[in-house]
């Protein structure tokens, strides 16, 4: 199961987020808002909807850039060690874990 969430202004798509079910957990990724619409609450809106729809009864896992720690923390995510990611999600991120200035999160 993969669920996509989108934010529009009129008919223009300005932001997205994705929640994908793996055999051992739910992964959040592809959170993106067009540059000209950033810092206006659109990413927060799409993430709140994703959390409401996907994260009611299960932990959500994600990987993001370190500069987003405060943003994701304000949504209830907490940094975790890469080893704490479910195996199928960790395997998907093998290409970048330990290589980028990024953190893994759980909520």
């Amino acid at each position: 199961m993969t669920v996509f969430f989108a934010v529009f202004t009129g008919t223009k798509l300005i932001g997205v987020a994705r929640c994908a079910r793996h055999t051992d957990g739910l992964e959040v990724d592809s959170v993106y808002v067009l540059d000209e619409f950033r810092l206006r609450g659109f990413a927060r809106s799409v993430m709140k909807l994703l959390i409401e729809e996907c994260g009611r009864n299960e932990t959500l896992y994600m990987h993001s850039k370190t500069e987003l720690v405060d943003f994701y923390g304000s949504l209830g995510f907490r940094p975790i060690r890469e080893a704490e990611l479910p195996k199928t999600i960790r395997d998907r991120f093998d290409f970048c874990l330990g290589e980028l200035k990024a953190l893994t999160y759980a909520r």
Side-chain angles (χ1 to χ4, degrees):
M1 168 197 85
T2 299
V3 181
F4 292 91
F5 298 88
V7 177
F8 291 85
T9 180
T11 59
K12 182 176 183 171
L13 175 65
I14 61 167
V16 295
R18 179 180 86 127
C19 182
R21 176 168 299 287
H22 295 264
T23 55
D24 54 358
L26 291 174
E27 174 196 2
V28 175
D29 74 340
S30 303
V31 180
Y32 182 78
V33 172
L34 293 174
D35 287 343
E36 63 267 29
F37 293 95
R38 290 188 181 163
L39 301 174
R40 296 188 194 175
F42 294 112
R44 180 172 303 283
S45 294
V46 77
M47 283 300 297
K48 282 184 174 182
L49 181 59
L50 183 150
I51 291 164
E52 288 172 18
E53 295 296 320
C54 297
R56 285 187 202 132
N57 301 313
E58 293 185 64
T59 301
L60 299 172
Y61 295 94
M62 67 184 308
H63 190 73
S64 85
K65 299 185 290 184
T66 55
E67 58 262 26
L68 296 171
V69 169
D70 291 339
F71 172 70
Y72 288 117
S74 73
L75 293 167
F77 287 88
R78 61 178 172 74
I80 61 170
R81 295 184 348 253
E82 293 169 2
E84 293 178 67
L85 284 170
K87 182 176 177 358
T88 58
I89 297 172
R90 189 174 59 245
D91 288 350
R92 195 175 102 66
F93 288 122
D94 270 350
F95 72 95
C96 66
L97 292 177
E99 299 294 323
L100 299 174
K101 288 184 179 179
L103 290 173
T104 53
Y105 300 89
R107 180 185 194 290

